[in-house]
Amino acid sequence: MRRTRSLAGPDETTGTASKKQKTAPSAAPASSSAAAMDEDVYMDMDDYDAEPEPPMPTPKATPVLRGRKRFLADVGDMKAAVNKGLEVAGMRLKGLRQGDEEGSVEFRVIHDGATLTSLSLTVTDTSSYPNDHSYICFALDDIPPDLLPVVEAIGTYPSKPLDATLTRILRSLALAASGQTSQDEDSQSLQDDGSEAGVEGLDAYDEDYMFISQNSGPDDSAIQSALKRDFLEVVAAGYQPGLIRFGGDDFVLSVSVPVLNLQVPTRALVAWDRRLLSASRYLTLVVSGLHARWPAIASDGSLIGVANPRFHVGLSPKYKPSIASVTHAVKNFALKDDDLEAEIEPEVEALDPDLDPWEQELRAQQRERERLAALPVDDNAFERFSLSSSLDSLLDQQLLAIVRLRLKFGLGWAGAELLHWSCDKMQRTPEDMYSTYKDHLVQADKEEQSVARNYNLPPDPIREREDPSHINLLMVAFCYVVRRLAMCTRFCLVCHRRIESEYEALKPYVCADKLCTYQYYSLNFGPSIEYEVEANTEVVDLLVSLTYVSCYEGQLDNGLPIGMGLRVPIPPQGIKSMSPPAWSGAMIAQPGVVQPVTHVVPQNTEIPPQGPDGLVDFDMLPLDYQRASVVQLLDSLPPVADMKKYLDRARGKGKLRLSKMDSNILPAAWGIFRWAIASCTAYLEEILDEDEMVHNIDKTWRQFRFSVGAPDAEAHFKANVDAAKREDRNAATYPSLYAFHGSPLRNWHSIIREGLQLRPPIHGRAYGHGVYFAKDGSISMGTYATRGSCKWKNSAMCPTACVALTEIVNLPDKFVSKQPYFVIAETSWMITRYLLVATAGYSPAAYGLPPAPDTSNAHSQQAPQFLNLDPAHPLTLNQKFVQIPEQQHKLQQLVDKRRAEQQEAEFDTEDVAIFSAGDAPPAAPTASTSTQTVRRVNTTPDWVHNAAWVDPTTYRLLPPPTDASSSATMAVQRELRTMIKEQASAERLDELGWYMPESLMSDNLFQWMVEMHSFDPELPLAIDMKAKGVNSLLFEIRFPSSFPHAPPFFRIIKPRLLPFIQGGGGHVTGGGSICMDLLVADGWLPSYSISAILLQIKLAISNLDPRPARLAQNWHVPYDIGEALEGYKRAARTHNWTVPPNFERLLR
């Protein structure tokens, strides 16, 4: 079947309608919101059923949409069609709505007036919709057995728009409900995948399916030569390229650079995502969708052949991430942190009456540490971070179009981006826009060149290329990633356009467009709130508390959560400015003393009517009711410490969403919680090490590192300090001053987002217009930092007052005033360093923290280094001199530590082969710019299969399956072809790590035998195996009839390993089955490949924590079938995992 690809505009660069775009038939209802369907949709319909059916809604000729916009438009059309009573083959759709997950829809199928089934249909990759995606479908409730094959087959459907797919589903359900089958559909599903119809066994395979023909694609030497050319260019730029093979001819490419080499300010890296400097990391770009072809683009930027590049940005410990983690990242059903959910019931443990609660808690924490330590760890995983989703969508949706504009009009990155966005917004051709706005485009490039030095931008591989006929996509894409990462705070995280604002934040955010706001918060385009709760629990509590106080006291006027699509209950009353309500919260007259509220605020504001759900749109409420709604919904949330405990239980069992924590909490409450955290563009981190604290500050004030402002604010401040040192003799000795700034607690929600900004005075200012600072902290803390009148009821920190400690350029004679206070009008002369927070009833134990600051390093390390402050302007608190530790010294220590951990990478064998393509074996370039030795090819003897060890007469296998669907057969065939290709293409079996003996490949397609071998020789298990002459671990893999929707069953046949209760380890049950969550219903995903699972199992068996795997004394006795199945079910019960449906059928 031919599939067409909708391209935007005559040159693929804008949303302008294509001349070949198909218009809607006159009989079809028109829609103004969606794009035209592919031209072959109606032709495909005729293949499914001979009976004429009412056509699906087809939009009129509008500019072609692609990707997520097209999907959302099609969902809107389908909703309209369903509301009009859409019916196909006697089946009707009801209640169609967008699901909770990205790219999903949920609906009920009605037959004869009754609900036949409820389904969830998910597009695996909306950026590739409607031409290069897959579908996942599952039932939301019990499904009749005769309909199950239809649902299982949906995953094999070809890439078609939503309306065509739903039509096919309804027709297939109608046939199944009537007891008929459609051979055409089953055959077509197999043929679409490239397999033969009706294939049921291994004997039906053709050799051409198992192995890639030498003549089936372009010359391999040509690909290697092209890769070599581009790899050398990447290395010359200081980056590290890599080749990752998936088996057969398929491969992806990577390119990386150590995070420390990006030359991004340290304060910015720490603020953007702590994982960037939590360990030695590489910023890594993975390019997939190449379909065994390279180069992927021509000299004009157009795609070559079937290549459809997809880009994935993340972090990795080494220059090239592991195959398993990359597989998860690039597959259509990729396992992503933001997409995986699991339901975990609270664990109820019996209490020991002889232990006090503190001892019980310590023991529970120890058990949790042991459980986490036992989890398998990929020490070279490709890890996503807070900016990954934004960068991925930017590259997938816009990079190639921007490259084509650059090549066509000779623009730089900034000019081409502006041209691309302008064409998209005004729906005009690039030629027209360029001729009209050429001067603006050129000016955009000049402006970027003027700030390039501040951002340490990478080289421009398009402008600096030597061969005009060649484009190195790997180099171009990575330089673009580095450029956008360095300048990320200047662009919207969702639409990727330049943010037009005079204030540049420290952390990236979204523009003022309501659609961007909605996507950022509601569709998880921003940072992971779950990660913030786990990693920054105290900061999350503080941010929520400050938001609560700002709304409760009527201070917050701007920046409320507008445009997020929140549906909220109507509060009993609103909150006027500076007037707390009587119906919620509690007053704090003084720290630690809580009193009830006694006054009421009259209300005369009209409010919108409630909807059928009893809720209203937050955006439609008056301002005072919006404040009250924020307060009301935040009060419905649990304590942050409880959220953290809930998420901690998910580790090793699948990642949870907080929104699943309590079904009684409205989604809008979680939306506001997310807004309170994600809208903070400052960096906050509580200081727990006493050596890093400001000395002589009362212990009742918690200390936080506090950075706010643009990433280059530090550079501008330093430039001003250097200028002051040249200008003033005293400043040369004492470059900067420190002073306190106090403000009412209700103001700090805004301050930590915008910094200390100059605002018009309300009541006048006695010492001039500017930002006020006091050298005596008691003045700021006692007079200006007025305490809040309320608290978030579930706060463990209970902040009552806040004060900032700020560094200032030491030119007091140029201040607006220097006595009795510093008054400064030039905001670039000041930069915040610390936030001091007074708390009422704060208990560090609520977060699992020590009751006092960490002083464990006090005697083991050098004494803290303090700044030498100007004695003419002493910094005091309660008549004591305040001492400031050298913060930059600590940051430099962190950087130095990461540099010491950073190891010079050596290219592996695959990459060495690329560098050596077409040459005699030379020394390949290294993975860094410094001179180092390339890893030599392994010349030790390879692993050798021992047929006697796997003799099938020495053990029993599970009985053959009694049922198998065509979709499962096709999926298993696909996996088998991939495994055979990967094994045949492996240079060494010991590097592959597994082996499928041909002698054990029977006619039973659903039962495989695989050997796992070549463990690290230093592992206790490997030592035992060598001593006993054991050649490998022999596995039996059994596929269920519902594969890939249900996981396969893995068990070791021989040798027998030491059980866990006898001191063994390795995640193997006492019966030989594998104890891993990805092999049960809770953790399984259809995207998992068997080779990737084998790698994960090998990592788990090799894990030394909490105990290493060892051979049992009776190692020569094979595991029995029954004990393997019982061990599997016992492990599932222990970990609260769900056993796959129909698991018992494996016994029959």
Side-chain angles (χ1 to χ4, degrees), residues 864-882:
Q865 300 180 25
F866 297 106
L867 295 176
N868 189 18
L869 300 179
D870 190 346
H873 301 281
L875 185 68
T876 61
L877 177 63
N878 298 328
Q879 299 181 349
K880 294 182 179 180
F881 291 106
V882 174

Side-chain angles (χ1 to χ4, degrees), residues 93 202 324 539 572 587 664 688 794 845:
L93 292 180
L202 183 62
V539 174
M587 300 289 289
N664 295 319
L688 300 175
N794 285 325

Side-chain angles (χ1 to χ4, degrees), residues 179-193:
Q180 304 178 44
T181 59
S182 175
Q183 182 62 34
D184 289 341
E185 286 192 47
D186 291 339
S187 300
Q188 185 64 53
S189 297
L190 290 172
Q191 292 165 4
D192 283 337
D193 187 66

Side-chain angles (χ1 to χ4, degrees), residues 15 90 243 272 315 411 430 471 691 754 847 884 969 991 1083 1087 1112 1116:
L243 173 73
W272 294 348
L315 304 174
L411 296 170
I471 297 292
D691 287 349
E754 302 174 7
Y847 301 120
I884 309 292
T969 301
E991 293 181 355
S1087 61
H1116 56 282

Side-chain angles (χ1 to χ4, degrees), residues 282-286 312-316 382-385 388 392:
Y282 284 80
L283 175 70
T284 304
L285 171 68
V286 173
H312 317 268
V313 181
L315 304 174
S316 61
F382 181 76
E383 180 184 11
R384 297 170 64 79
F385 65 106
S388 292
D392 288 358

